[in-house]
Amino acid sequence: MIGAHVIVGYSNDAGGRDALALGSAITRVTGGELTIATIYPPGSPGLAVEAQANLAHAAEELGPVPAEYITYESRGTGRGLSVLASRIRADLIVVGSAAGGQHGRIAIGTTADHLLHLSSEAVMLAPAQYVPPVEPGRLTLAYVHRPQCDAAVGQVAQAALRLGVPLRLITLDLRTEDQGKLRDDLALAVRLAWERTGIEAESEVAEGHDVTAALADVEWLPGELLVCAASEDAQPHRVFLGELAMKVLRASACPVAVLPRGFS
């Protein structure tokens, strides 16, 4: 289950504070390690000092929550977080929404875009101005009948079992496919979750003329987490989101975790 060691990409802005709150909430539930990191470009002593000041702000925000604080030099924030996560053996990178995004939604900036196409670790994004609840509510997997999603069913079911929360599998009906086939695929995924873990997953077809309308068609609980599997086009052990999954991420009203290909 992801969350044994969480690294938060922190900047002293709204997105950084959202990521900090979400990363702290995750480790509170999982009991995992928490690392707060600020990335700065090479050859910039002034920005290195600013990065240290940012971490001081993060420490004030977290208060007594145990965490390690690291500044790291890299030409890109996304690349720096990914490299640092590998070095410290973090299994989840948490970042916030880019500035200027809609309240309660995820706006993808350059850092998130890099991570969503090249990260070796799972990536989680917090919606703008997200306030984590005290306890997790439910895990929902965005399901499409393909190998990466089938593998994710068992992994997310195991996580739901350990956290003691319900599991839901949803698939989107954008009025372009046979809904009967979509429901048959979901039924097979529900059976797969049962065979792997003994958990009885909920299933739902979200209908709409586009992704935003489809996701608005279903209920989202406080403390919900949406999980997406990497695209079949992803390199082994890398995150890569296709066009549809990117639309799902942008339309989500809850945090979204993206698993690398071959995640175990």
Side-chain angles (χ1 to χ4, degrees):
M1 182 175 69
I2 59 173
H5 189 171
V6 176
I7 181 170
V8 172
Y10 181 77
S11 52
N12 190 23
D13 57 19
R17 289 186 287 275
D18 291 339
L20 187 66
L22 179 57
S24 174
I26 293 164
T27 55
R28 184 175 65 243
V29 171
T30 65
E33 297 178 61
L34 179 62
T35 297
I36 315 302
T38 295
I39 311 300
Y40 65 95
S44 305
L47 293 178
V49 172
E50 184 179 323
Q52 290 285 358
N54 282 345
L55 292 185
H57 286 298
E60 290 177 6
E61 290 276 340
L62 279 183
V65 176
E68 183 178 8
Y69 298 87
I70 299 176
T71 59
Y72 189 76
E73 184 180 85
S74 176
R75 294 191 180 278
T77 302
R79 181 179 184 278
L81 286 172
S82 186
V83 171
L84 181 58
S86 295
R87 290 189 179 182
I88 66 175
R89 298 184 181 276
D91 62 355
L92 177 64
I93 302 172
V94 179
V95 293
S97 183
Q102 181 183 353
H103 173 72
R105 294 292 186 270
I106 295 169
I108 301 172
T110 54
T111 297
D113 188 62
H114 179 99
L115 292 170
L116 291 171
H117 289 92
L118 286 171
S119 177
S120 301
E121 290 72 36
V123 178
M124 187 178 294
L125 291 94
Q129 301 179 43
Y130 179 72
V131 179
V134 175
E135 298 292 341
R138 178 170 59 189
L139 295 182
T140 290
L141 174 66
Y143 181 79
V144 179
H145 185 41
R146 54 182 176 80
Q148 294 305 312
C149 273
D150 287 341
V153 168
Q155 295 154 1
V156 179
Q158 287 283 359
L161 197 63
R162 291 175 186 173
L163 292 174
V165 297
L167 169 66
R168 178 173 62 165
L169 309 176
I170 64 168
T171 196
L172 304 186
D173 177 12
L174 304 182
R175 299 170 184 168
T176 58
E177 296 188 56
D178 175 12
Q179 190 175 102
K181 181 181 182 303
L182 294 178
R183 292 192 180 279
D184 288 344
D185 289 344
L186 268 181
L188 289 174
V190 168
R191 179 179 176 183
L192 181 60
W194 171 260
E195 290 174 347
R196 296 279 178 87
T197 63
I199 196 169
E200 294 187 16
E202 307 167 32
S203 65
E204 191 165 353
V205 175
E207 301 179 58
H209 62 276
D210 60 18
V211 171
T212 301
L215 290 186
D217 183 54
V218 298
E219 179 187 18
W220 299 93
L221 301 178
E224 187 115 30
L225 174 65
L226 178 62
V227 182
C228 295
S231 165
E232 301 300 316
D233 295 328
Q235 300 174 35
H237 310 297
R238 296 278 182 175
V239 165
F240 183 87
L241 278 191
E243 183 180 353
L244 179 63
M246 279 292 221
K247 291 179 180 178
V248 169
L249 189 150
R250 289 188 175 99
S252 175
C254 65
V256 180
V258 185
L259 306 180
R261 184 174 181 182
F263 177 84
S264 60

